[in-house]
Amino acid sequence: MPGRVRRLGLRPSVDAWDFTSFAIAVVAADEAVSRERSPDGWTREIGLTVAVSSPDFWNSQRGRLTQALRFLSGDIWELNFIGDGAAPTTSDPMRLRNEDMICLLSGGMDSLIGAIDVVEEGRNPLFVSQMAKGDTANQKMFAQTISPHSLHLLLNHHARPPGPSERSQRARSIAFLGFGVLAATCLRRHHDGDEVELRIPENGFISQNVPLTPLRTGSLSTRTTHPYFLRLIQDTLDAAGLRVRVNNPYEHSTKGEMLLGCTNQSLLKQLVGDSTSCGRYSRTGFQHCGRCVPCQVRRGAYLAWGQDDDTVGRYKYEQLDQDDVRHARFDDVRSVAIAVETVSRHGIEELIGGAMNARLLGDITLYREVVRRGIAELSALHAHLGVP
């Protein structure tokens, strides 16, 4: 990553570099520490020491950051910051970027919609992608098609543990946030003292990560866009004086509503089939499995949009028959069906239970409603496919 930043002549701030170093260290620890060795098979105790340029400041943020990480990954973290961390090299100030905001571009459906909407707003985004096997070519294609004159910054954390990698990787996306913060401080407007928006497009149903059954607490892929987690990160960025405003304008929208609301429907229809949603994409030979929760949410969103599902390569499992022997030991379809039935019989409050805390989120009305509508999209999908 440092080499890529230097080659482009970018000038991130020292504090942004420190935050990104922290984020990458978290990903490395998350991948290296196995959950199987923990007493309950899930919760780990992770001690992490990070070298930064301003250890006194970052040690003052340990309480907030450990709280954020505990919420993100479900583990017990102990953080310590020491000095002598890497710092950005100075480059020609004339190479400061003239884009006016940062937009994360993952290659997924939500980030594609977010990128299209940003340009339709008349903004000039710098796109930031976390490179992923199977997605990088589409990330490049999306950026070039949507805003060909904008810089597209592709970075990778390159975290490789010495032993087997922990597959749950609940904290992996924090590096993506770090890359976005780093890029935000490379813009001319940031050097001029202005605030920079860091847009993180993600539908509110997935962001909330409400467990579909009592046995699936925290079971979706990540909580990195949960509003409570983003608030803790925003507070940290504010304390560092970084002038970066994290924004997810879709936190109250379902995936189907994002498709319906996209402000350039013709461009969306041209590109959306190439987007990626599957939680097991690399494990299925870079084809959507069709039955994991993110795939079901994607398929329900297409149905709500009212357009033919043109996902490239289609789905490995087109049908969602729970009795199909190929679905053995894979309970995502059953879990969605249970959630749909729970809401149908007892209402959305029965599903949410204690997973949505007003003390953490404030007024939860809009968050509760987006979960209800997200379940409705899944219910329509199951009815459409004849899931019992």
Side-chain angles (χ1 to χ4, degrees), residues 123-178:
R123 304 294 297 276
N124 177 24
L126 189 158
F127 293 123
V128 175
S129 295
Q130 179 168 253
M131 299 170 69
K133 191 174 182 181
D135 281 337
T136 302
N138 285 337
Q139 291 169 347
K140 292 178 180 178
M141 185 266 287
F142 290 164
Q144 181 64 27
T145 304
I146 296 168
S147 185
H149 302 297
S150 294
L151 175 65
H152 181 205
L153 182 61
L154 295 110
L155 298 172
N156 198 327
H157 53 70
H158 293 296
R160 298 292 183 271
S165 177
E166 166 55 46
R167 297 301 295 271
S168 63
Q169 297 177 19
R170 288 300 186 265
R172 67 189 184 278
S173 295
I174 195 173
F176 205 177
L177 277 176

Side-chain angles (χ1 to χ4, degrees), residues 191-298:
H191 281 257
D192 290 343
D194 294 330
E195 183 181 72
V196 174
E197 178 186 354
L198 169 56
R199 190 167 297 193
I200 305 172
E202 181 78 88
N203 75 82
F205 179 73
I206 289 293
S207 291
Q208 282 298 319
N209 192 27
V210 170
L212 298 175
T213 74
L215 297 178
R216 290 173 59 93
T217 301
S219 62
L220 299 186
S221 58
T222 180
R223 281 180 164 181
T224 317
T225 60
H226 192 284
Y228 176 65
F229 175 74
L230 292 182
R231 189 176 305 157
L232 292 172
I233 295 300
Q234 184 67 68
D235 289 345
T236 303
L237 301 180
D238 290 346
L242 277 168
R243 302 191 309 282
V244 177
R245 180 173 60 87
V246 177
N247 179 34
N248 176 16
Y250 308 103
E251 66 177 356
H252 300 136
S253 300
T254 67
K255 204 179 198 76
E257 290 164 353
M258 287 184 68
L259 286 169
L260 286 162
C262 182
T263 48
N264 189 332
Q265 288 285 310
S266 61
L267 184 57
L268 176 62
K269 292 173 185 176
Q270 174 189 336
L271 299 175
V272 70
D274 287 299
S275 66
T276 305
S277 301
C278 185
R280 293 170 171 81
Y281 191 62
S282 63
R283 293 179 239 175
T284 56
F286 305 109
Q287 178 187 14
H288 284 79
C289 74
R291 65 184 185 183
C292 68
V293 171
C295 272
Q296 291 182 72
V297 171
R298 176 190 181 93

Side-chain angles (χ1 to χ4, degrees), residues 38-215:
S38 62
D40 64 358
W42 181 261
T43 307
R44 302 165 295 181
E45 294 185 15
I46 302 175
L48 180 63
T49 298
V50 185
V52 292
S53 296
S54 304
D56 290 343
F57 167 74
W58 290 103
N59 278 316
S60 75
Q61 301 299 305
R62 284 186 298 187
R64 181 186 293 123
L65 291 174
T66 52
Q67 185 179 4
L69 293 179
R70 178 65 187 265
F71 181 81
L72 180 65
S73 72
D75 301 302
I76 300 169
W77 293 78
E78 182 177 344
L79 299 174
N80 184 44
F81 295 92
I82 60 174
D84 298 321
T89 55
T90 302
S91 59
D92 185 354
M94 297 302 292
R95 299 186 71 176
L96 290 170
R97 300 298 309 182
N98 290 319
E99 289 88 355
D100 61 17
M101 55 94 69
I102 305 298
C103 185
L104 299 188
L105 184 63
S106 67
M109 182 183 284
D110 292 3
S111 74
L112 169 64
I113 295 168
I116 292 173
D117 285 348
V118 159
V119 173
E120 292 297 313
E121 289 172 20
R123 304 294 297 276
N124 177 24
L126 189 158
F127 293 123
V128 175
S129 295
Q130 179 168 253
M131 299 170 69
K133 191 174 182 181
D135 281 337
T136 302
N138 285 337
Q139 291 169 347
K140 292 178 180 178
M141 185 266 287
F142 290 164
Q144 181 64 27
T145 304
I146 296 168
S147 185
H149 302 297
S150 294
L151 175 65
H152 181 205
L153 182 61
L154 295 110
L155 298 172
N156 198 327
H157 53 70
H158 293 296
R160 298 292 183 271
S165 177
E166 166 55 46
R167 297 301 295 271
S168 63
Q169 297 177 19
R170 288 300 186 265
R172 67 189 184 278
S173 295
I174 195 173
F176 205 177
L177 277 176
F179 297 154
V181 170
L182 191 79
T185 66
C186 296
L187 302 188
R188 186 175 302 279
R189 65 178 293 124
H190 187 272
H191 281 257
D192 290 343
D194 294 330
E195 183 181 72
V196 174
E197 178 186 354
L198 169 56
R199 190 167 297 193
I200 305 172
E202 181 78 88
N203 75 82
F205 179 73
I206 289 293
S207 291
Q208 282 298 319
N209 192 27
V210 170
L212 298 175
T213 74
L215 297 178

